[in-house]
Amino acid sequence: MASAPPAVRLRALVRGLVQGVGFRPFVYREAKARGLAGSVRNTAGGVVVEAEGPEEEVRSLLRALREEAPPLAQVDAVGEEWLPAAGLEGFRIRESGPEGEAATAVPPDVAVCGRCLAEMADPADRRHRHPFVNCTDCGPRFSLVEGVPYDRSRTTMRAFEPCAACAAEYADPASRRFHAEPVACPRCGPTLRLEGGEGPPAAGEEALRAAGAALAAGRILGVKGIGGFHLAADAAREEAVAALRLRKGRGTKPFAVMVPDPGAARRLADLRPGEERALLSAARPVVLLRRRADAPLAPSVAPGLGTVGVMLPAAPHQHLLLEAFAAARGGEGPPVLVMTSGNLSEEPIARTDGEARERLAGLADLLLLHDREILARCDDSVLLWEGRPRLLRRSRGFVPLPLALPRAAAEPVLALGGDLKGCFCIVRGSEAFPGPHAGDLGDLLSGEAYAEGILHLARLLGVRPRLVVHDLHPDYGSCRIGRQLAEGPFAGARLLGVQHHHAHALSCLAENGRTDPALALALDGAGWGPDGTTWGGELLLVDGLRFRRLAHLSPMRLPGGDAAAREPWRTAVAALCDLGAGGMARELAPRWPSVRERFRKGRGRDPVDEAVAILERCHREEPDAGKFATWLSDALLQRAREALEAAPAGAPVPGAAADVRRAQGALRAFAAAAPAEARATAEVLAAGMDALVEAALSADPSARRRVLDALREEEGEPGK
């Protein structure tokens, strides 16, 4: 009889995204299937696997660790240590330990999976209509975890003691809830409740029914989600969407909408295969789609745009809310809800029930709450499909997944962005961990939320930054927060200022795995330069931390300084003056006295494109849209006339023709979004420019003279 092969023992440290993704249950099942003894456990440094048995089976397990990990896992490295056999018996999941330097990654929040949705829809299942159903393959992670190793005791789910049935699933290797830390059911898990309105608070199914009825009646609902609150309204009801826009101070920025499935998304937009995959991905981002002309959406959802941001529900209770809204609304067509960030514009998204009651009181008529605490704010991600996914906002579903760097940092780094569309990034070795979208950092609340997010992610990653990198702008809130952190929680950290567009260039190089010197064309907005002036539009020669500014666009005045970035009409006034339309600018300026004295006469560079773009945006906030269109067209015609008069006889002026064509395009875009009065004016003006284009391209002096005479007569000047 052949003797059994000698036993070997392996101790492996698995690093990467291996906690909170069902990795320990996976190891347990694989080891048991091979008849191996040993254990698996979470540590701060990763997952430690100890396996003993025949060498062939142990090596088979090692291959499985690298090549067959669960769908949500990401194995970055597997360290091997071969030891003498110790006579181990049985295989078990051991209690987590704190040993090892923090090196594991925390998983992002993952949308509810299909199997959990099937259980929620099954009347015979004990989780029928449970608003918080989840398993090892789905559910909240980043938004509720306090630290690593990832265990229930380090999440906000520790407040909910599992019932006997859930505890049995947690301990059953055959269950997909085997060691699923957020496991719960209607008996032992979080619950929904509805506050506000005229009646007493409602809970559970009654809360859902009342919330759906309120939405169908045109009311605005605050909804506690995964990483914060949303504000919801009936997307087909103009009065509801317009009220939400007014209350939130949203201006004309578009709202995102939520639909139950891809079929409903097709009623709103043209849906390509890649876009459908993005909608259905575990991250459940907002995907920008080409809007259908017959989309059943209120005009105020996305005014003047040919696109619409669409997302599918990420949380079980969002599915149930859409069902309740559909039942209350009745009628044909899919239910469509506006789902926008739960905040007043420029404030951080509300995270706690207390914040929602205080800050959303004037925005929402009712609040749909739940009692699972949210630790980390994480707004919706936004994605555009251009043959591949392009993230416009990287947040829920992606944070805190790392990005690989082409070169490892010598020490932990905290990098801070600008004040608009704020974000931050923590670097640990060769991994960069971008934080969630933080919005604009224009007030105290936003700054506090920004610092809170930095400290939370640093704690999860187990790092204390030794270098804080910030923008050169002396007044940025992000820079102020960086200085405060370097003097407080990250005391002793050095500060390093980096020019705004240099930072953009370095980010682009890192994203493409490049470290060699490069020419970088940075066509970003304004950024503070090392010479103390505002830069914009640079050609840079970049070599790591060194750069040289080879060329740049001519500077343009910004009346009010940074205020011009938020109030573009200020820049419009400057553009009109530079365009030689000082009279129009003087007529405009008295309406905003704060600008009146900030102007000086004179000409800068040719600002046609700026004037077109800025005034097209301004009309959305300004009731006198028709007057804007007239001012703009007058200025453009004046410039074209000057260019044609200065040109030699018989010589075409293609530059003037190109300018006028751009102006025509902008005016027609203006017309598509403007009120009726301005629309008619802009369309007539755009059509009338055709003759000017022909004259600019013509070599016939008489044709040009006829057009110029017509222009003079229109302005009351006799023809010559």
Side-chain angles (χ1 to χ4, degrees), residues 158-178:
R158 67 175 179 272
F160 302 92
E161 185 68 25
C163 65
C166 286
E169 288 177 319
Y170 184 88
D172 180 5
S175 170
R176 75 175 196 282
R177 294 188 172 88
F178 183 43

Side-chain angles (χ1 to χ4, degrees), residues 385-638:
W385 186 268
E386 294 181 329
R388 64 184 181 89
R390 291 189 180 274
L391 278 170
L392 306 182
R393 180 201 289 176
R394 190 179 190 272
S395 202
R396 180 185 52 74
F398 296 95
V399 172
L401 293 177
L403 303 176
L405 297 177
R407 182 183 298 164
E411 57 189 345
V413 178
L414 167 63
L416 305 171
D419 271 14
L420 301 181
K421 300 178 176 63
C423 190
F424 63 88
C425 182
I426 294 177
V427 176
R428 184 181 69 184
S430 59
E431 294 179 312
F433 295 84
H437 168 76
D440 296 347
L441 306 180
D443 60 22
L444 181 62
L445 285 174
S446 298
E448 290 175 348
Y450 188 67
E452 173 189 280
I454 292 170
L455 294 173
H456 179 68
L457 185 56
R459 184 168 56 250
L460 288 184
L461 298 176
V463 300
R464 189 169 180 269
R466 305 305 303 158
L467 179 66
V468 177
V469 182
H470 60 84
D471 196 277
L472 289 182
H473 198 300
D475 295 329
Y476 269 2
S478 57
C479 302
R480 172 180 49 79
I481 292 165
R483 291 191 293 268
Q484 292 172 347
L485 292 172
E487 295 169 359
F490 305 146
R494 306 186 314 283
L495 293 168
L496 174 65
V498 176
Q499 202 279 327
H500 194 91
H501 304 129
H502 181 206
H504 279 305
L506 291 173
S507 297
C508 187
L509 288 169
E511 184 179 359
N512 289 277
R514 303 292 296 271
T515 60
D516 47 328
L519 281 174
L521 182 61
L523 298 177
D524 182 44
W528 196 258
D531 58 359
T533 66
T534 301
W535 288 11
E538 274 72 47
L539 179 64
L540 306 176
L541 177 60
V542 177
D543 185 5
L545 289 178
R546 299 187 301 275
F547 77 93
R548 188 151 56 95
R549 192 187 192 199
L550 301 179
H552 59 88
L553 298 178
S554 299
M556 187 173 183
R557 290 173 292 175
L558 298 176
D562 287 343
R566 295 179 182 276
E567 301 174 11
W569 57 264
R570 295 171 180 264
T571 316
V573 173
L576 284 168
C577 274
D578 287 346
L579 195 62
M584 300 168 205
R586 284 191 294 275
E587 183 180 350
L588 185 62
R591 304 173 61 129
W592 299 286
S594 61
V595 161
R596 198 181 309 153
E597 301 303 320
R598 298 181 185 270
F599 246 2
R600 294 293 181 269
K601 289 184 178 180
R603 278 183 183 272
R605 66 183 179 87
D606 176 8
V608 170
D609 291 335
E610 283 77 10
V612 170
I614 292 163
L615 289 180
E616 190 275 332
R617 289 174 60 191
C618 280
H619 90 274
R620 301 178 187 275
E621 303 292 337
E622 169 58 40
D624 292 334
K627 193 173 283 187
F628 271 126
T630 304
W631 284 332
L632 175 58
S633 62
D634 285 349
L636 291 169
L637 290 174
Q638 178 178 324

Side-chain angles (χ1 to χ4, degrees), residues 252 254 291 298-307 616 619-620 669-674:
T252 57
R291 179 175 174 173
S300 292
V301 169
L305 296 179
T307 58
E616 190 275 332
H619 90 274
R620 301 178 187 275
F670 178 103

Side-chain angles (χ1 to χ4, degrees), residues 147-163:
V148 293
Y150 176 74
D151 287 305
R152 192 183 185 100
S153 61
R154 294 182 181 87
T155 74
T156 58
M157 283 299 294
R158 67 175 179 272
F160 302 92
E161 185 68 25
C163 65

Side-chain angles (χ1 to χ4, degrees), residues 191-193 195 224 229 353 356-357 367-371:
T191 56
L192 291 172
R193 67 184 184 281
E195 294 183 1
K224 188 175 183 180
F229 278 77
D353 294 0
R357 293 185 183 106
L367 295 175
L368 184 62
L369 307 172
H370 60 72
D371 49 358

Side-chain angles (χ1 to χ4, degrees), residues 78-347:
V78 181
E80 304 174 32
E81 183 181 4
W82 294 91
L83 304 167
L88 301 178
E89 295 182 357
F91 199 94
R92 61 194 179 99
I93 295 179
R94 294 176 56 196
E95 186 176 344
S96 299
E99 61 265 34
E101 182 179 347
T104 189
V106 173
D109 299 308
V110 178
V112 59
C113 69
R115 289 191 291 179
C116 283
L117 286 177
E119 290 175 339
M120 190 174 72
D122 183 0
D125 195 282
R126 70 188 192 89
R127 288 188 173 85
H128 178 52
R129 297 189 64 77
H130 178 45
F132 304 95
V133 60
N134 67 85
C135 67
T136 54
D137 295 333
C138 70
R141 300 288 193 273
F142 171 68
S143 61
L144 56 70
V145 66
E146 290 181 343
V148 293
Y150 176 74
D151 287 305
R152 192 183 185 100
S153 61
R154 294 182 181 87
T155 74
T156 58
M157 283 299 294
R158 67 175 179 272
F160 302 92
E161 185 68 25
C163 65
C166 286
E169 288 177 319
Y170 184 88
D172 180 5
S175 170
R176 75 175 196 282
R177 294 188 172 88
F178 183 43
H179 279 263
E181 305 304 339
V183 63
C185 71
R187 179 177 297 178
C188 63
T191 56
L192 291 172
R193 67 184 184 281
L194 185 69
E195 294 183 1
E198 301 171 357
E205 287 292 333
E206 182 53 37
L208 281 169
R209 281 192 292 271
L215 288 167
R219 306 184 77 182
I220 297 170
L221 182 68
V223 183
K224 188 175 183 180
I226 295 174
F229 278 77
H230 284 103
L231 291 169
D234 183 348
R237 195 168 182 139
E238 172 61 17
E239 62 270 28
V241 181
L244 175 57
R245 185 172 292 285
L246 181 64
R247 294 183 195 181
K248 187 175 164 68
R250 183 73 176 172
T252 57
K253 293 180 180 178
F255 285 133
V257 298
M258 179 178 285
V259 296
D261 51 51
R266 289 190 188 90
R267 294 289 301 273
L268 307 180
D270 298 326
L271 189 60
R272 295 174 290 183
E275 293 165 336
E276 182 170 351
R277 289 195 298 272
L279 280 175
L280 290 168
S281 68
R284 289 294 197 277
V286 175
V287 181
L288 294 185
L289 304 176
R290 293 165 298 176
R291 179 175 174 173
R292 287 178 48 163
D294 60 349
L297 295 172
S300 292
V301 169
L305 296 179
T307 58
V308 60
V310 180
M311 62 177 160
L312 304 185
H317 69 286
Q318 293 171 345
H319 283 273
L320 295 174
L321 179 62
L322 279 168
E323 289 181 15
F325 168 59
R329 184 194 56 144
E332 297 181 356
V336 185
L337 290 175
V338 165
M339 277 284 190
T340 187
S341 303
N343 59 344
L344 187 65
S345 286
E346 300 186 9
E347 286 187 358

